């Protein structure tokens, strides 16, 4: 492991295994038939058809019951992150409360609070200023739970906002990606603003704008330093990653989700041209490379590959109304569905089944 030392906080990052040493047999065989292109699973109002909803809900309930029975066997209380720790489990309970998926939703809010209090008890300081992998995710989730319980969340929110100036300082070594960087902090601000009414006076438009400016300035600065042809250049681990976790896809997606804070010139001269250059890297298969200038068409999962690009491309289509983004998204979706199951994904689902269940609760 190594450390990026910032002015106020320190980020610990696990060492990544070289892609060259990964096993070649990394997939479970996909035995399901291809989609016939005619069967509709969506009603006119955009929701799942009732028969599919019943089927998914019954399986969700079965998996959720199993998960609850074995929660204590795999939950590590010394990990309070959203990605792999207690806060991720708390969010599942929180989403069930918000969706009113089961009767007595308040009981699930109570369970979410129990888990979040474990994390808060162990919390000392912010080392990673992001939602998924950092203490910010713990604090943001606690803020939402306290809000729903009519408890004072002011200290939690102040802790989140206390590192704002450090995040916006482009002279620091803080990256821009989602898991450990500025985009992950930006997501937190947008999330809290969307969930808690009347928060605009505390998380102001100007604060969100400053984070966006830092991400853009950082991208321009790296372009200049590396003499790159890209309008915005983002590097992680000395690699130009494309995917959602560490690369362009996640960063550009968060910028597009913040479009009301971005001026037309930034959109047209920085963000969209960079997006177009990413689209140009798409393989004939529909997949995307893990890194720029890489010709290996191998990784097909959210971190690296087409699944993480679909969100960006769909959002780009909704904003720019350009058919090429829709076609790129469709190609990416086809390879994501047709590919055999990636073993890393299956291992992660077995270890963190609440993430699979969250998918249904979020889309219900």
């Amino acid at each position: 492991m190594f450390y990026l030392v910032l002015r106020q906080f320190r980020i610990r990052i696990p060492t990544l295994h070289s892609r060259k040493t990964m096993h070649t047999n990394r997939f479970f065989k996909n035995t399901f038939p291809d989609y016939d292109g005619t069967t509709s699973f969506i009603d006119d109002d955009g929701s799942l058809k009732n028969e599919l909803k019943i089927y998914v809900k019954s399986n969700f309930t079965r998996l959720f019951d199993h998960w609850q029975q074995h929660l204590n066997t795999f939950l590590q209380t010394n990990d309070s992150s959203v990605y792999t720790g207690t806060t991720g489990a708390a969010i599942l309970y929180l989403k069930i409360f918000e969706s009113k998926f089961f009767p007595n939703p308040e009981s699930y809010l109570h369970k979410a609070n129990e888990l979040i209090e474990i994390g808060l008890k162990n919390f000392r300081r912010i080392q990673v200023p992001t939602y998924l992998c950092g203490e910010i995710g713990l604090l943001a989730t606690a803020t939402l739970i306290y809000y729903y319980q009519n408890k004072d969340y002011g200290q939690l929110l102040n802790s989140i906002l206390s590192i704002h100036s450090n995040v916006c300082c482009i002279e620091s070594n803080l990256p821009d990606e989602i898991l450990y960087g500025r985009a992950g902090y930006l997501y937190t601000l947008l999330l809290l603003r969307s969930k808690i009414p009347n928060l605009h006076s505390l998380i102001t438009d100007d604060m969100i704008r400053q984070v966006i400016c830092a991400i853009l300035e950082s991208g321009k600065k790296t372009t200049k330093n590396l003499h790159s042809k890209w309008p915005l250049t983002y590097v992680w681990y000395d690699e130009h990653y494309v995917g959602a976790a560490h690369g362009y896809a996640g960063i550009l997606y968060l910028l597009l989700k913040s479009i009301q804070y971005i001026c037309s010139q930034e959109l047209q001269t920085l963000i969209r041209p960079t997006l177009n250059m990413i689209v140009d890297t798409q393989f004939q298969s529909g997949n995307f490379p893990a890194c720029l200038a890489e010709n290996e068409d191998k990784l097909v999962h959210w971190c690296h590959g087409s699944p993480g690009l679909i969100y960006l491309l769909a959002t780009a289509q909704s904003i720019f109304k350009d058919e090429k983004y829709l076609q790129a998204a469709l190609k990416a979706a086809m390879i994501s569905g047709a590919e055999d199951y990636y073993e890393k994904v299956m291992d992660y689902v077995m270890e963190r089944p609440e993430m699979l269940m969250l998918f249904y609760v979020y889309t219900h």
Side-chain angles (χ1 to χ4, degrees), residues 249-312:
I251 297 168
L252 295 178
Y253 173 72
L254 260 298
L255 290 175
L256 290 183
K257 296 299 288 186
S258 312
I259 191 170
Q260 66 267 41
Y261 307 103
I262 295 174
C263 72
S264 176
Q265 182 180 7
E266 292 167 336
L267 190 65
Q268 297 300 333
T269 64
L270 296 175
I271 297 173
R272 190 173 186 182
T274 305
L275 169 64
N276 289 339
M277 295 175 81
I278 289 295
V279 173
D280 290 341
T281 69
Q282 189 172 31
F283 293 127
Q284 189 63 34
S285 67
N287 197 23
F288 285 84
C291 300
L292 297 180
E294 184 175 278
N295 296 320
E296 195 172 40
D297 184 358
K298 183 170 67 174
L299 300 181
V300 187
H301 54 102
W302 178 80
C303 293
H304 309 287
S306 60
L309 273 292
I310 295 172
Y311 304 94
L312 169 63

Side-chain angles (χ1 to χ4, degrees), residues 17-74:
H17 295 291
S18 169
R19 293 186 300 281
K20 295 180 181 179
T21 61
M22 294 178 68
H23 297 295
T24 56
N25 183 18
R26 304 174 346 274
F27 299 95
F28 294 103
K29 187 65 179 176
N30 182 0
T31 60
F32 292 95
D34 290 340
Y35 174 55
D36 60 17
T38 60
T39 305
S40 175
F41 300 102
I42 306 296
D43 277 330
D44 293 338
D45 63 356
S47 63
L48 291 175
K49 284 188 176 295
N50 192 56
E51 58 268 27
L52 181 60
K53 190 180 295 184
I54 293 173
Y55 174 80
V56 175
K57 184 173 182 178
S58 65
N59 282 279
F60 172 88
T61 303
R62 180 168 57 87
L63 179 59
F64 178 66
D65 289 342
H66 178 82
W67 175 79
Q68 285 203 111
Q69 291 171 15
H70 297 85
L71 179 61
N72 291 330
T73 63
F74 63 80

Side-chain angles (χ1 to χ4, degrees), residues 85-287:
T86 53
T87 303
I91 289 175
L92 176 57
Y93 283 126
L94 179 59
K95 289 305 299 182
I96 291 174
F97 162 75
E98 290 179 333
S99 67
K100 307 298 185 287
F101 189 76
F102 292 128
N104 191 22
E106 293 292 336
S107 66
Y108 297 97
L109 182 63
H110 177 72
K111 291 180 178 180
N113 185 74
E114 287 181 341
L115 286 171
I116 216 68
E117 291 296 341
I118 295 174
L120 291 176
K121 182 178 179 181
N122 296 327
F123 171 72
R124 295 295 178 268
R125 65 189 180 92
I126 297 173
Q127 294 179 313
V128 180
T130 62
Y131 182 81
L132 283 176
C133 292
E135 294 81 6
I136 291 294
L138 164 70
L139 298 174
T141 305
T143 298
L144 291 177
I145 292 172
Y146 278 29
Y147 163 70
Y148 287 126
Q149 292 182 326
N150 295 316
K151 293 160 62 175
D152 182 13
Y153 55 80
Q155 186 174 349
L156 297 168
L157 186 59
N158 287 337
S159 294
I160 295 171
L161 300 182
S162 68
I163 63 168
H164 179 270
S165 60
N166 297 73
V167 171
C168 295
C169 176
I170 65 171
E171 301 305 321
S172 72
N173 291 323
L174 185 68
D176 296 287
E177 43 87 277
I178 283 183
L179 292 193
Y180 297 98
R182 293 184 181 91
Y185 187 76
L186 175 60
Y187 172 81
T188 304
L189 300 185
L190 297 174
L191 172 69
L192 293 176
R193 278 271 295 253
S194 69
K195 292 285 189 179
I196 302 179
N198 305 320
L199 208 58
H200 291 60
S201 61
L202 297 175
I203 302 177
T204 64
D205 290 355
D206 186 57
M207 293 179 71
I208 294 175
R209 172 65 185 168
Q210 287 176 35
V211 180
I212 293 170
C213 287
I215 294 173
L216 294 176
E217 288 302 317
S218 175
K220 291 193 294 182
K221 178 182 177 182
T222 305
T223 287
K224 181 179 179 179
N225 290 343
L226 298 181
H227 306 287
S228 171
K229 66 178 181 179
W230 290 62
L232 297 171
T233 301
Y234 296 107
V235 177
W236 170 252
Y237 252 100
D238 296 324
E239 294 275 13
H240 300 256
Y241 283 104
V242 175
H246 302 298
Y248 286 91
I251 297 168
L252 295 178
Y253 173 72
L254 260 298
L255 290 175
L256 290 183
K257 296 299 288 186
S258 312
I259 191 170
Q260 66 267 41
Y261 307 103
I262 295 174
C263 72
S264 176
Q265 182 180 7
E266 292 167 336
L267 190 65
Q268 297 300 333
T269 64
L270 296 175
I271 297 173
R272 190 173 186 182
T274 305
L275 169 64
N276 289 339
M277 295 175 81
I278 289 295
V279 173
D280 290 341
T281 69
Q282 189 172 31
F283 293 127
Q284 189 63 34
S285 67
N287 197 23

Side-chain angles (χ1 to χ4, degrees), residues 341-359:
Y341 302 115
Y342 187 40
E343 287 184 4
K344 180 179 177 182
V345 174
M346 296 304 294
D347 289 343
Y348 184 70
V349 168
M350 296 307 294
E351 293 175 4
R352 308 294 300 163
E354 66 269 24
M355 295 304 175
L356 179 62
M357 292 183 282
L358 272 171
F359 171 78

